Amino acid sequence: QDYTHDPNARAGGGIVVTYKDDVATLDPAIGYDWQNWSMIKSLFDGLMDYVPGTTELRPGLAESYEISEDGMTFTFRLRPGVKFHNGREMTAEDVKYSLDRVTNPATQSPGAGFFGSIAGYDAMSDGSATSLGGVEVVDPLTVRITLSRPDATFLHVMALNFASVVAREAVEAAGDDFGKQPVGTGAFKLAEWTLGQRLVFEKNADYWRAGVPYLDTVTFEVGQEPIVALLRLQNGEVDVPGDGIPPAKFVEVMGDPEQAARVVEGGQLHTGYITLNVNTPPLDNVNVRKAINMAINKERITQIINGRAVAATQPLPPSMPGYTEGYEGYPFDPEGAKALLAEAGLADGFDTELYVMNTDPNPRIAQAIQQDLATIGIRASIQSLAQANVIEAGGAGNAPMIWSGGMAWIADFPDPSNFYGPILGCAGAVEGGWNWSKYCNEALDAMAVEADGITDPAMSGARMAKWSDVYMGVMEDAPWVPVFNEQRYTMKSPRMGGDDALYVDPVSIPVNYDYVYVTE
Amino acid sequence: MAAYLFRRLAQAALILLGVSFITFFLLYALPADPVRQIAGRSATAETVENIRRQLGLDQPFVVQYWRYLSGLVQGDLGRSYLQKSEVSELIAARLPATLLLMAGAILCELVVGLTMGIIAALRRGTATDNALMITSFVGVSAPQFVVGLLLLYVFAVKLGWFPIGGYGTFAHLVLPSITLGILGSGWYSRMMRSSMIEVLRQDYIRTARAKGLSRRRVILRHALPNAILPIIAMIGIDIGIFMGGIVVVESVFGWPGIGQLAWQAIQRVDIPIIMGVTLVSACAIVLGNLLADIVTPFIDPRIRVR
Amino acid sequence: MSDTSFPETRPQGALARLARRKLAVLGLVLIGLAVGCAIFAPFLTSYGPDEQHFDGLTIEGAPLPPGGEYLLGTDLLGRDLLSRLMHGARTSLIIGVVANGLALLIGTLVGVTAGYFRGWIGSVLMRFTDLMMAFPALLLAICLAAIFQPSLWIVALVIALVNWVQTARVLYTETTSLAEREFIAAERALGAGHVRILFLHILPHLVPTIIVWGTLGISTTVLLEATLSFLGIGVQPPTPSWGNIIFENQTYFQAAPWLVFLPGAAILVLALAFNLVGDALRDVLDPTQRGRD
Amino acid sequence: MTALAQTQPGAVKAPGAEPVLSVEGLTISVRTESGLHPLVSDMSFALERGRTLAIAGESGSGKSITSLAIMGLLPPPAVRVTGGSIRLGQTDLTALPEEALQRIRGNRIAMIFQEPMTSLNPVMTIGRQLTEAIEAHEALGRDAARALALQALRAVRISEPERRLGQYPHELSGGMRQRIMIAMALALRPDVLIADEPTTALDVTVQREVLELLRDLQRDLGTAIILITHDMGVVAELADDVIVMQSGRMVEQGTVEQVFTAPREPYTRALLAAVPRMRPAAPAPVAQAAARGQVVARLSDVEVTFDVRGGLFGRVTHRVHAVAGVSLDIREGETVALVGESGCGKSTIARAMAGLVPFRGSIEIGGKRLGGTAADLRAARREAQLVFQDPMAALDPRMRVGDLVAEPLVIHGIGTAESRRARVVDLFERVGLSRRHVERYPHEFSGGQRQRICIARALALEPRLIIADESVSALDVSVQARVLDLLRALKEEFRVSYLFISHDMAVVDNIADRVAVMYLGQVVELGTRAQVFGSPAHPYTRRLIEAVPVPDPRHQRQPSARLDTEIPSPVRRLGDPPPRLRLRDLGNGHVVAEDTALHPTA
Ligand SMILES: Nc1ncnc2c1ncn2[C@@H]1O[C@H](COP(=O)(O)OP(=O)(O)OP(=O)(O)O)[C@@H](O)[C@H]1O
Ligand SMILES: Nc1ncnc2c1ncn2[C@@H]1O[C@H](COP(=O)(O)OP(=O)(O)OP(=O)(O)O)[C@@H](O)[C@H]1O
Ligand SMILES: [Mg+2]
Ligand SMILES: [Mg+2]
C-alpha cells in the first residue's frame, strides 16, 4: 500500500542477530531497552505503525481512523480477521484491555506516562479506576478513544510499543511471565527462548500483512561482546551485529573497502548534550552557560568518535520535524567564551563537576569536554559512574554538568514534543525527574502545550514552527550544550538483502526484521 | 563425618546470613534509586512513589531485610526489578554454565599451575625456573579481556580450532577456561613451587629415593600429594577470586553465565539480582571451602581422626 | 674437641648479601625507576599527561603508533602515552605498593593473631575472615567505593579492605602449624612474651609466604584498581594509572596494541621487580638457603 | 692420617672374601661462601658379606654424611663428593648416573635413617610404601609384592602385619616405625644395609629388640651391615669391625675385640673410658646424703590429660591420661632421674613443669606455684629451665645459635649486649663448642652439637632446676661424658638440681641421686639410685635394667622374651580414669607400686 515491496525480495531463510545485553522481557508494556524494542515491534502490532525505513505514520491494526473536529476523539476501525499467535481473532476488546493494562500502575510500565492525554488516565494512575474511561469498545471492530486534552502526537503514541495489542487470555495465563511467553499479532512469533543465550523468532504464517515477513526465522544471540560479534560477522556466522560496529573496530572496517561496502549509515533521532544545572552557581548565570556552549569544540569531539556524528546546534536532531534549519547555534569561540566569563565576574574560571556514564566512549568525550572547559578556565572534575548513579545524581539535581552519552535521548517517536516534556520542561525539573538541568521556563511550557494542541494534520506546518520557536527559546537560555547528533553505522553480512533504510530504520532499531531478507 | 558436616553446614548458613545482611545493607546505602530505573523517564513523581510502595522500598531497612529473609528461607529470591522474572529462575538458567566454566578454569589452572610449579621447584635457580616465574607473572598481570580476545583471535578466528565464543560443546569450553585459568595458574605455580621446595627437603623424600624409586615416582607419588595439601585450601579461596574474572570472560566468550547477569544488574541497580548472585556465589565459595576441607583428609590421613 | 668445620666467614649483613645478587639489584633498579617516574614525571616529560593534542590523532580519529614525535605513541584522545605512563606510575605504585602492602599488613595481622592465639579471638577473627571471603570481592569494592566519594586514597583503602582476606586465611593455616612447633614451646618455656614470639619467631617464618602473596598481589591490585575505575569508582579520568590505561583501551588492542601492551608491560615489570627483590630477600633471610649462589 | 697408616688392612678384610663394598680415599666437601671445605676426608674401608661394620665417633664427625655419600643422597647442592671412590662390587658409585644409582638403591644397598619419625611419607599407607620399593626393583605383580611386603613385616616381628599394611605412619609408635623402616630396607635382601643410629630415638626395651632383629636378619640373609652409632654398648653387641671417626677422619679401625680390648689411639681410649656402664648391682647403702636440701620443685598429684574429640558437635569422648597422678620432690642440688618406656609421660611432666600444658594437682618451683599469677609463672620459668628432647625442633631455624643462647638473657633483661656476648661465648666453650660456632645456624650442626646448644641455652639463666629431657641420648659418649661432667660441676658449683629424663639406664646410673620409674603415667618405683638399681622391687624396673646394652663384646646376653604387643594405651574413655597405683614404702624413701596388674608381661 504505502510501502513498495522490494522486487528482489525472496522469502525463506533465517538470520542471526547478536546483542551484548540480555533481553529482559518481551512484554510490550514493559520492554524499553535497545535490544527488545524492535523485537517487540515484530512480535506485536499497535493500531498505528510506520512506513518501514521512514518516520511516516501508517495504519497498523487499525484499518482506518477518524479524528473528531476538536481533535479530542479518535475512532479506530480495526482490520478484520487479524489473528493472535494463539489463533484467536483480535477484537476491539483486546485493544481496550491492552491500553488498560499498560496504564494500570500494577503493571509498572515505564511507558504509562505516554498515555496521559487519554481521558481517565489520572484515575487509573492514582488507582481509583481499573479501566480507562476514555477508551470505548463501540463494536468488535471499532474502538473510540477520547482525550482529556488535545494531543497532536496521539497517533504516534498509538504506534509506540507500549500501545501494542496483547491477547488477554495469554496475559492471564502467563501471569507475571508474559514477558517470557509473549502472544501478539506480529509478523513473528517467539519459538524458543533459552535464557541468557538465544531467542528464536519464527515467521507468523498467518500474518495479516501480505507478503511479509520474508524470513522464516530470526535468531538472536545475546551476551555477545560487540567486538566478538564483529569477528563472527567477518567469519560469516552472524548477519547483523545488533550493537553496531564497535568503536574499536570502526577504523579497521572503514579502511577495508570490502567491509566498508557493507556498512550502512543513517541518521537517527538522537542528540548528545551536556546538561548545565541552572540552579547551581555559577551555572545559574545564563552568560556562564553561554560561555560553556561557546567553549566546546564539537568538531574535535566528533573526531574522537571517529566522525560517527555531526555537530549539533540545537536540541532537535536534523531529521526531526521542527528542526530549525539555518540556525547556527553558539559558535566555537573560546576567546568570546572567556570574555563572557569575565563579564560574569569569573575571569579566573571556577571549579565544577562533570558526570558521565562509564562506558566507552563517554569518559573519553567527557575528557575532551574537560579540556575544552579548561581552556576557558573552568576546572571540571570528571565523575565517571555507573548509569544508575549518574541518573540518580541528575535526578536529585546534584550534578552541575552531565554528559548525556549512553543515556541520551533517542526519540520514542518522531515528533519534536518527545524531546521536550520530561527533559526540558518544568514537569521533569522536579526531584527525581529526568530534566537534569532543572531548567523550567513557564512561558515555553505554555507554548509547548499550545503547539501540541494543534491537532489538525493540515496545520502541522504551524505546529512545527511553534516547536521550532520553543527550542530556539531553550537555546536562548542555554540549559544544554547540544554537542552532536550521532549517526548510526551498522553492518550486515553479504547475504543480507533489502533497502539500506531498513538497516538504519529510525523506529525499528537496529533492523526492521519484517522487511529484510536473505539473498541465498 | 556426618556430625562434622552438620557443624560445617550450620557455620555456612551463618556465614550466608552475614553475607546477606551486609550485602542488603550496602545496597540499601547505595546512592542509586532502583525505582527510577523501573519507572522510566516519562514517569511522574506519583508513578514513582506508586512503584516504590508496590515494591515495599518505602519501608524501613529492617522491615525490608526481614521480608527478604523470610522469602529467602522459603527459597524465594524475589523478582528482578527490570528483568521482570523470578531471580531464582534467572540464576538457575545461568548457573550451570558458570559452574562448568569454573570447573574448567580450576582444572586448567591446576594442570598448568601445578605443572609449572613442580618444574620450577625441580629446576630451581635455573633459566627454566626464571622463565616459568616470568610466565606466571605474565599470567597474573595480563588483563583477562585482552587475553580472552587474543586467544579468540588466534585460536578461533585465525586457526579455526575452536568456535568463536558460544556455549554447548566441549570445544566451546576450552578457550574461556584457559582465559579464566591463566590468572590462577600464575598463583598456583608460585604456591606450588614454594610448597614443593619445602616438601623436597623432607626426610621421607630421601627415604623414597633411598628405596631406588625413579625420580618421576618420587615426585609424583611422594612429593606431590604432600605438596598439594596447602594448595587445596587455595581452591576454595579461588572461587571468590574468580567472580571478578567471570564477568569479563563470560562477556568476551558470550558465555551464558551469571557473570553477565550480575554485571547488568550492577549497572542498573537491579537489587534482587545482585542479592541473588551474591548469595549464590557466597554459597559456591562456602561450599568450595567445605569441599576443600572434606577432600583434604582423603589425601592427608593425619587429619582424618579429627 | 674440634670438629670438621670450615673457617668461619664473617656473615655479612642481609643488605650486603642482597647487593651481591645481580637479579635483586636489577629489581631494585627497576623499582627505583618506577619511583623516580612517580616523583619526577612532571620534569621528565615533554608533554602533560592530560594534554590532548590535535596532531595526536589521525584525521579519522585513530591514535598514533609509537615512534615519531610521540615516543610511545598517543592514546585515543591524542595524549602522549609516555607521559601518561610516567605519571601513571604514581597511582599504580600507590595501589600496588601502599594498598597491597596495607592488605598484606591487615591479612598478616589477622591471620597471625588468629592462628597464634586461637581461643575466642582466633574464632572471631576467622569467622569474620570466612565471611569476608564468602563475599564477592568485586561487589564489596563496588559498594564501598560507591558509598564513599571515589578518590585515590579511598580506592587504595577499599582495595586493601577486600584483598587482605586470602592472605589472612593462608597465614592463619601456616601460623597454627608454626605455633605447634617445638621451638615456640621452647621460647615460651624461657618466659618469652607473646610479642617477642610473634615478631622474632613466627613472623620470620612467614616471610616466604608473605613475599609470594605480596608480589603476586601487586598485579592483582593494580588491575583491580583498573576494574574499579572502569566501573567509575576508581581513580577518575583523566588521572592516568597503568591499569586504567589498559582498561580504557582494551577493546582497541588490535587497532592500537601499544595502548594495552605497554602499560601491561609496565605492570608486569613492576611486579617482577618486586618479585626479584622478594625472592632474593627470602633466600637471604633463610639461613638454610645459604650456600646457594 | 697416622691412624690410617697404622691400620692393617687385614684387620677388616677376612682373608679370601671379596668385599661387597669398598670405600677408597673418600672426601666429601661442602661449598660455602668462602669456598670448598671438607667434611669427611680420606675415608677408606672395605665391607664383606655377612659382617657388621660399626662406624663410631663423636657427633658431627661425618658418620651420617659418609653413609649418605654411599647412597648417593648427599644434600644438594652444597655438599658433594670431591674425591675418592665408593665401589659396590666392581662399579664405582660416585661415577654412576642417577638412573643407574636408582637401580642400586634399595635393591643392593639399603639404608635406615637416623630419624624414624619423619622418614616415612605421612600420606601413604605402610603397605604402599613397602610394595613400591619392591615393585621398583622386581617385576612382580601387586599381589606378589604384597606377599613379599608381608613377609618382610613378619620378619621384623611386628604385631598384626596384615593390619599394618593399611595403616598410616602417624598411627604407629616410633619403635614400630623404625621396624617398618627396617622391613623396607630388608624386603629386597640388599647386599649392604646402612643403619644410621637405628636405635637412638628408641627406648631401651625397643632398642633391644631392634638390635636383636638386625642380628637375626643378618644371620638369616647374610647382609653386610654398616652400623652407625655413638653408643659403644650397641657397637659391642652387634659389630664385627669398628671404625672410629673424629673430625671427619678415621682415627682407628679394627675388629671389635681389638678396639675394645686394645685401643691404639688415645681418642679411642678416651672414648671407651667415657662409656657409661651400669655399676655392678650392690646392695643399697642406707641413707644417702643428697636428700636433705631445700625443696626446689614439688609435684603433688599432678595429672595431665589430653582430650580426644569426636562424635556430634565434636564433644570430648576420650582422654589421654598422659600423667595420671605423679607426686615428686626435687631438692636443692639433687638429681632426680625419670625413666620409663616411650610414651609413659616423661616429657609431659617436663612440659607441665615448664608451664606448657595445663595440669591438675599442683606444681611448685622455687616456692612459686605454677598456675598462679603471670609473674609467678615468669619467675618459675627463670628458676627452671627445660632442655627439650628434640634439639633440632627446639631451636628456631632462622636464628643464629649465638642469639638463641643469648635469648633467655634478653628476655629476662639480664646484662648488656656485650656482657651477654661474652657469656654466650663462655657457655659455648663450657658445652664443648667453640666461639666460631656462635654465628652459625642450627641446621649447620650435627645432632649432638645441637643438643649442646640447647644445654648452653638452658644454662644461660643459671637456673636452680634444669629439666633435661633425653638431653644426652643423642650425644656421643665422649661428649656425653663431658656434658655429664658439666652438669655435675654446675651442681657442685651452683647447687643446681636436675630432673633428668632418660631411657639410658647406664647414664642414669651414673648421674642420678634418686630414680623414679614411670609406667603409663604413674610412678611405679621411686628411690635412691642404689635402691632402685641395687634392689629393683618392681618387675618393670627389672626389665628395663636387663635391656641395657653392655659395652663389652664378650658379654653374652641370654635371649629375652620378645614383646610383640603394643604398650597398653593411656587413651581411655571419658569418665573411666586409670586406677591409681598404691605405693608401698620399702623403707628409706624407697617406694614401689603394689599393683602389678599393669605389668606389661603380666
Ligand atoms: N647441609 C650441611 N651443610 C653444611 N654442613 C653440614 C651439613 N650437614 C652436615 N654438615 C656438617 O658436617 C659434619 C658432619 O655431619 P654428620 O651429620 O655426618 O655428623 P654425624 O657424625 O652423623 O653426627 P651425629 O652423631 O651427631 O649425627 C658436621 O660438622 C656438620 O656440621
Ligand atoms: N598434645 C597431645 N595430645 C594428645 N596426646 C598427647 C599429647 N602429648 C602427648 N600425648 C600422649 O601422652 C602420652 C605421654 O607422652 P610423652 O611425650 O610424655 O611420653 P614420653 O614418656 O616423653 O615418651 P618418649 O620417651 O617417647 O619421649 C603419649 O601417649 C602421647 O601420645
Ligand atoms: Mg648423624
Ligand atoms: Mg619424651
Side-chain angles (χ1 to χ4, degrees), chain D residues 379-395:
Chain D
R381 278 176 169 167
R382 213 189 137 162
E383 298 288 350
Q385 286 293 309
L386 175 57
V387 181
F388 283 83
Q389 184 166 5
D390 180 351
M392 183 60 197
L395 295 172

Side-chain angles (χ1 to χ4, degrees), chain D residues 292 514-515 525-528 531-532 584-592:
Chain D
R292 290 306 137 223
R514 285 198 295 148
V515 177
E525 184 160 1
L526 172 67
T528 61
Q531 287 166 341
V532 175
R584 183 159 53 94
D585 196 338
L586 300 179
N588 289 322
H590 188 187
V591 291
V592 67

Side-chain angles (χ1 to χ4, degrees), chain A residues 261-333:
Chain A
R262 287 188 277 116
V263 172
V264 184
E265 180 189 353
Q268 58 182 340
L269 301 175
H270 165 278
T271 304
Y273 53 88
I274 307 164
T275 64
L276 308 173
N277 191 322
V278 299
N279 297 331
T280 313
L283 296 178
D284 54 350
N285 183 332
V286 66
N287 280 339
V288 173
R289 300 200 297 268
K290 283 182 180 162
I292 292 174
N293 261 289
M294 287 156 71
I296 305 300
N297 185 348
K298 299 169 186 172
E299 298 300 336
R300 168 75 180 178
I301 293 174
T302 50
Q303 184 197 13
I304 285 168
I305 57 166
N306 308 112
R308 297 211 274 182
V310 291
T313 56
Q314 52 189 296
L316 291 185
S319 44
M320 182 75 98
Y323 178 80
T324 312
E325 295 289 346
Y327 174 67
E328 293 291 334
Y330 292 98
F332 173 54
D333 178 9

Side-chain angles (χ1 to χ4, degrees), chain B residues 1-4 6-7 198 201-218 221-226 229 297-306, chain D residues 68 71-73 76 98 102-103 105-107 109-111 113-115 118-124 128-130 132-133 135-137 142 168 170 181 184 309 311-314:
Chain B
M1 191 66 193
Y4 173 75
F6 178 80
R7 201 149 39 93
E198 190 59 41
R201 304 199 243 257
Q202 300 297 316
D203 287 341
Y204 53 79
I205 295 300
R206 198 176 57 185
T207 309
R209 293 185 60 203
K211 283 192 264 186
L213 301 184
S214 68
R215 208 175 143 72
R216 203 185 141 78
R217 194 172 173 90
V218 172
R221 292 298 308 267
H222 288 263
L224 189 59
N226 283 288
L229 284 172
F298 282 96
I299 303 182
D300 188 353
R302 282 166 298 184
I303 46 184
R304 257 178 234 171
V305 278
R306 253 181 268 143
Chain D
L68 288 178
M71 294 295 290
L73 289 175
E98 175 68 21
Q102 278 169 14
R103 280 196 294 277
R105 276 188 216 133
N107 191 17
I109 310 181
M111 181 161 175
F113 290 96
Q114 200 164 354
E115 304 85 4
T118 51
S119 289
L120 289 170
N121 189 338
V123 306
M124 244 177 160
R128 200 69 202 102
Q129 295 191 52
L130 277 167
E132 77 172 354
E135 282 165 13
H137 297 289
R142 280 249 157 150
Y168 289 92
H170 73 276
M181 289 296 294
M184 201 182 283
R309 284 167 195 283
L312 201 65
F313 305 113

Side-chain angles (χ1 to χ4, degrees), chain D residues 306 320 322 341-348 389 470 570:
Chain D
F306 300 102
V320 185
E341 245 162 5
S342 177
C344 69
K346 305 182 299 284
S347 298
T348 307
Q389 184 166 5
E470 309 275 12

Side-chain angles (χ1 to χ4, degrees), chain A residues 505-520:
Chain A
D505 192 306
V507 184
S508 277
I509 296 166
V511 183
N512 194 323
Y513 306 116
D514 303 4
Y515 288 87
V516 297
Y517 57 88
V518 291
T519 53
E520 59 190 52

